[in-house]
Amino acid sequence: MREHTPSRRPEVFDIAASAVNNSNYRTVEWTGRHLQVTLMRIAPGESIGAEVHQETDQFLRVEAGEGEARLGPADGEWEQVVAVRPGWALCVPAGTWHDVVNTGDSALALYSIYAPVHHAESAVHPSRELAEADERAGRDDPPRWAVRAVDPMVE
């Protein structure tokens, strides 16, 4: 795994290998002004946790393992439930509830791209519980220099 440093510089790396070799629930791999790359590892039987990002579009790609993608208008109201495996991707528009559940016997490795930036720069969360604790405590907010979402529907 590469060393983590502040990311406002161009980088070239093997994202598939980085996702597969990531040992944390979530690792922020790169943060720019407009988007962010994170790596995730989900243990068998666990999930990323049902969530919605009101002002952030998200792209997720599975690199290892087997899972189930769930997308819908509300938590538990899944309009799409799809089995996913390496090579499968989810495009999640802002405001869409989503979850990815590991249905296999080995770790589910994926990467996620957020636009705009959604997490603290260079954040590393070994577990979902620690990630959620940092979110609740305000320690996982995007850096101030990142471009924030502006909702054109709000006057």
PDB file of all heavy atoms in Angstrom, residues 108-123:
ATOM      1  N   LEU A 108     -15.005  -8.169   0.588  1.00  0.00           N
ATOM      2  CA  LEU A 108     -15.472  -7.443  -0.585  1.00  0.00           C
ATOM      3  C   LEU A 108     -14.619  -6.187  -0.677  1.00  0.00           C
ATOM      4  O   LEU A 108     -14.622  -5.364   0.238  1.00  0.00           O
ATOM      5  CB  LEU A 108     -16.951  -7.088  -0.432  1.00  0.00           C
ATOM      6  CG  LEU A 108     -17.598  -6.310  -1.566  1.00  0.00           C
ATOM      7  CD1 LEU A 108     -17.663  -7.172  -2.833  1.00  0.00           C
ATOM      8  CD2 LEU A 108     -19.005  -5.873  -1.167  1.00  0.00           C
ATOM      9  N   ALA A 109     -13.839  -6.077  -1.747  1.00  0.00           N
ATOM     10  CA  ALA A 109     -12.960  -4.919  -1.941  1.00  0.00           C
ATOM     11  C   ALA A 109     -13.547  -4.052  -3.042  1.00  0.00           C
ATOM     12  O   ALA A 109     -13.915  -4.540  -4.120  1.00  0.00           O
ATOM     13  CB  ALA A 109     -11.548  -5.376  -2.309  1.00  0.00           C
ATOM     14  N   LEU A 110     -13.633  -2.751  -2.774  1.00  0.00           N
ATOM     15  CA  LEU A 110     -14.152  -1.828  -3.780  1.00  0.00           C
ATOM     16  C   LEU A 110     -13.497  -0.474  -3.609  1.00  0.00           C
ATOM     17  O   LEU A 110     -12.837  -0.195  -2.615  1.00  0.00           O
ATOM     18  CB  LEU A 110     -15.676  -1.733  -3.680  1.00  0.00           C
ATOM     19  CG  LEU A 110     -16.300  -1.294  -2.350  1.00  0.00           C
ATOM     20  CD1 LEU A 110     -16.453   0.212  -2.286  1.00  0.00           C
ATOM     21  CD2 LEU A 110     -17.650  -1.951  -2.179  1.00  0.00           C
ATOM     22  N   TYR A 111     -13.668   0.337  -4.628  1.00  0.00           N
ATOM     23  CA  TYR A 111     -13.272   1.738  -4.477  1.00  0.00           C
ATOM     24  C   TYR A 111     -14.461   2.607  -4.810  1.00  0.00           C
ATOM     25  O   TYR A 111     -15.395   2.185  -5.491  1.00  0.00           O
ATOM     26  CB  TYR A 111     -12.029   2.106  -5.288  1.00  0.00           C
ATOM     27  CG  TYR A 111     -12.159   2.076  -6.789  1.00  0.00           C
ATOM     28  CD1 TYR A 111     -12.653   3.164  -7.493  1.00  0.00           C
ATOM     29  CD2 TYR A 111     -11.735   0.966  -7.515  1.00  0.00           C
ATOM     30  CE1 TYR A 111     -12.739   3.143  -8.872  1.00  0.00           C
ATOM     31  CE2 TYR A 111     -11.805   0.939  -8.892  1.00  0.00           C
ATOM     32  CZ  TYR A 111     -12.320   2.030  -9.569  1.00  0.00           C
ATOM     33  OH  TYR A 111     -12.400   2.010 -10.939  1.00  0.00           O
ATOM     34  N   SER A 112     -14.430   3.815  -4.283  1.00  0.00           N
ATOM     35  CA  SER A 112     -15.523   4.752  -4.451  1.00  0.00           C
ATOM     36  C   SER A 112     -14.970   6.114  -4.834  1.00  0.00           C
ATOM     37  O   SER A 112     -13.938   6.534  -4.298  1.00  0.00           O
ATOM     38  CB  SER A 112     -16.310   4.861  -3.140  1.00  0.00           C
ATOM     39  OG  SER A 112     -17.335   5.827  -3.258  1.00  0.00           O
ATOM     40  N   ILE A 113     -15.645   6.771  -5.746  1.00  0.00           N
ATOM     41  CA  ILE A 113     -15.293   8.140  -6.131  1.00  0.00           C
ATOM     42  C   ILE A 113     -16.474   9.030  -5.772  1.00  0.00           C
ATOM     43  O   ILE A 113     -17.605   8.764  -6.188  1.00  0.00           O
ATOM     44  CB  ILE A 113     -14.965   8.231  -7.624  1.00  0.00           C
ATOM     45  CG1 ILE A 113     -13.762   7.336  -7.948  1.00  0.00           C
ATOM     46  CG2 ILE A 113     -14.714   9.683  -8.033  1.00  0.00           C
ATOM     47  CD1 ILE A 113     -13.457   7.206  -9.424  1.00  0.00           C
ATOM     48  N   TYR A 114     -16.212  10.049  -4.968  1.00  0.00           N
ATOM     49  CA  TYR A 114     -17.221  11.016  -4.557  1.00  0.00           C
ATOM     50  C   TYR A 114     -16.985  12.331  -5.298  1.00  0.00           C
ATOM     51  O   TYR A 114     -15.845  12.788  -5.415  1.00  0.00           O
ATOM     52  CB  TYR A 114     -17.096  11.334  -3.061  1.00  0.00           C
ATOM     53  CG  TYR A 114     -17.348  10.200  -2.124  1.00  0.00           C
ATOM     54  CD1 TYR A 114     -16.304   9.388  -1.689  1.00  0.00           C
ATOM     55  CD2 TYR A 114     -18.616   9.949  -1.625  1.00  0.00           C
ATOM     56  CE1 TYR A 114     -16.514   8.358  -0.793  1.00  0.00           C
ATOM     57  CE2 TYR A 114     -18.837   8.917  -0.729  1.00  0.00           C
ATOM     58  CZ  TYR A 114     -17.786   8.129  -0.314  1.00  0.00           C
ATOM     59  OH  TYR A 114     -17.998   7.111   0.581  1.00  0.00           O
ATOM     60  N   ALA A 115     -18.064  12.960  -5.752  1.00  0.00           N
ATOM     61  CA  ALA A 115     -17.969  14.293  -6.338  1.00  0.00           C
ATOM     62  C   ALA A 115     -19.199  15.081  -5.890  1.00  0.00           C
ATOM     63  O   ALA A 115     -20.315  14.684  -6.202  1.00  0.00           O
ATOM     64  CB  ALA A 115     -17.895  14.207  -7.858  1.00  0.00           C
ATOM     65  N   PRO A 116     -19.015  16.144  -5.127  1.00  0.00           N
ATOM     66  CA  PRO A 116     -17.748  16.640  -4.610  1.00  0.00           C
ATOM     67  C   PRO A 116     -17.224  15.776  -3.456  1.00  0.00           C
ATOM     68  O   PRO A 116     -17.820  14.767  -3.087  1.00  0.00           O
ATOM     69  CB  PRO A 116     -18.101  18.046  -4.122  1.00  0.00           C
ATOM     70  CG  PRO A 116     -19.555  17.986  -3.791  1.00  0.00           C
ATOM     71  CD  PRO A 116     -20.153  16.988  -4.748  1.00  0.00           C
ATOM     72  N   VAL A 117     -16.123  16.237  -2.897  1.00  0.00           N
ATOM     73  CA  VAL A 117     -15.433  15.553  -1.798  1.00  0.00           C
ATOM     74  C   VAL A 117     -16.415  15.323  -0.643  1.00  0.00           C
ATOM     75  O   VAL A 117     -17.217  16.195  -0.313  1.00  0.00           O
ATOM     76  CB  VAL A 117     -14.231  16.410  -1.336  1.00  0.00           C
ATOM     77  CG1 VAL A 117     -13.569  15.827  -0.109  1.00  0.00           C
ATOM     78  CG2 VAL A 117     -13.241  16.566  -2.485  1.00  0.00           C
ATOM     79  N   HIS A 118     -16.318  14.149  -0.008  1.00  0.00           N
ATOM     80  CA  HIS A 118     -17.272  13.810   1.048  1.00  0.00           C
ATOM     81  C   HIS A 118     -16.621  13.550   2.415  1.00  0.00           C
ATOM     82  O   HIS A 118     -17.265  13.735   3.447  1.00  0.00           O
ATOM     83  CB  HIS A 118     -18.069  12.571   0.627  1.00  0.00           C
ATOM     84  CG  HIS A 118     -19.209  12.265   1.523  1.00  0.00           C
ATOM     85  ND1 HIS A 118     -20.370  13.013   1.550  1.00  0.00           N
ATOM     86  CD2 HIS A 118     -19.378  11.306   2.459  1.00  0.00           C
ATOM     87  CE1 HIS A 118     -21.192  12.526   2.448  1.00  0.00           C
ATOM     88  NE2 HIS A 118     -20.617  11.485   3.025  1.00  0.00           N
ATOM     89  N   HIS A 119     -15.363  13.090   2.440  1.00  0.00           N
ATOM     90  CA  HIS A 119     -14.707  12.722   3.699  1.00  0.00           C
ATOM     91  C   HIS A 119     -13.489  13.607   3.973  1.00  0.00           C
ATOM     92  O   HIS A 119     -13.010  14.313   3.093  1.00  0.00           O
ATOM     93  CB  HIS A 119     -14.260  11.255   3.662  1.00  0.00           C
ATOM     94  CG  HIS A 119     -15.390  10.294   3.564  1.00  0.00           C
ATOM     95  ND1 HIS A 119     -16.224  10.036   4.631  1.00  0.00           N
ATOM     96  CD2 HIS A 119     -15.848   9.548   2.534  1.00  0.00           C
ATOM     97  CE1 HIS A 119     -17.142   9.167   4.263  1.00  0.00           C
ATOM     98  NE2 HIS A 119     -16.945   8.850   2.994  1.00  0.00           N
ATOM     99  N   ALA A 120     -12.974  13.505   5.185  1.00  0.00           N
ATOM    100  CA  ALA A 120     -11.758  14.224   5.557  1.00  0.00           C
ATOM    101  C   ALA A 120     -10.586  13.714   4.714  1.00  0.00           C
ATOM    102  O   ALA A 120     -10.505  12.522   4.400  1.00  0.00           O
ATOM    103  CB  ALA A 120     -11.461  14.025   7.046  1.00  0.00           C
ATOM    104  N   GLU A 121      -9.718  14.616   4.353  1.00  0.00           N
ATOM    105  CA  GLU A 121      -8.544  14.253   3.562  1.00  0.00           C
ATOM    106  C   GLU A 121      -7.675  13.253   4.326  1.00  0.00           C
ATOM    107  O   GLU A 121      -7.420  13.420   5.510  1.00  0.00           O
ATOM    108  CB  GLU A 121      -7.727  15.516   3.261  1.00  0.00           C
ATOM    109  CG  GLU A 121      -6.496  15.249   2.445  1.00  0.00           C
ATOM    110  CD  GLU A 121      -5.662  16.498   2.240  1.00  0.00           C
ATOM    111  OE1 GLU A 121      -5.735  17.421   3.070  1.00  0.00           O
ATOM    112  OE2 GLU A 121      -4.940  16.537   1.248  1.00  0.00           O
ATOM    113  N   SER A 122      -7.265  12.200   3.650  1.00  0.00           N
ATOM    114  CA  SER A 122      -6.362  11.176   4.191  1.00  0.00           C
ATOM    115  C   SER A 122      -6.936  10.409   5.381  1.00  0.00           C
ATOM    116  O   SER A 122      -6.193   9.800   6.143  1.00  0.00           O
ATOM    117  CB  SER A 122      -5.002  11.788   4.558  1.00  0.00           C
ATOM    118  OG  SER A 122      -4.411  12.356   3.423  1.00  0.00           O
ATOM    119  N   ALA A 123      -8.250  10.423   5.556  1.00  0.00           N
ATOM    120  CA  ALA A 123      -8.866   9.680   6.669  1.00  0.00           C
ATOM    121  C   ALA A 123      -8.680   8.176   6.468  1.00  0.00           C
ATOM    122  O   ALA A 123      -8.775   7.676   5.351  1.00  0.00           O
ATOM    123  CB  ALA A 123     -10.347  10.014   6.768  1.00  0.00           C
TER     124      ALA A 123
END
